[in-house]
Amino acid sequence: YNYLNASAGTTIWKAMYKNTSVKILDLSHNNIASLECAQSINKAVSRPYNELLHVDLSFNKFTYPQA
């Protein structure tokens, strides 16, 4: 419901790579789906010592190849 686009989503996930405090991130109901954003998500959540406990990306129109 924030109307975030793929560019904003990518920027957020690049910042989340350095995250040391955010534990819950709700980006649902936006339009952040893109291959670049998906790659940034993968990099952020797969890093060692990731602090995230819950992420909601529902209703962002990710396609099967992006997933």
Side-chain angles (χ1 to χ4, degrees):
Y1 296 115
N2 294 309
Y3 303 104
L4 297 175
N5 62 19
S7 176
T10 301
T11 300
I12 290 168
W13 282 103
K14 284 182 178 179
M16 289 303 294
Y17 183 75
K18 298 179 181 180
N19 172 51
T20 59
S21 58
V22 176
K23 299 198 182 307
I24 298 172
L25 183 62
D26 185 344
L27 293 173
S28 62
H29 296 277
N30 284 288
N31 193 23
I32 64 169
S34 74
L35 184 56
E36 184 180 8
C37 186
Q39 291 169 335
S40 295
I41 292 168
N42 181 47
K43 185 176 179 183
V45 299
S46 62
R47 76 174 180 85
Y49 309 109
N50 189 339
E51 299 298 320
L52 284 171
L53 300 174
H54 178 79
V55 177
D56 188 346
L57 297 173
S58 59
F59 302 100
N60 271 289
K61 302 178 184 175
F62 281 100
T63 63
Y64 182 75
Q66 293 165 339

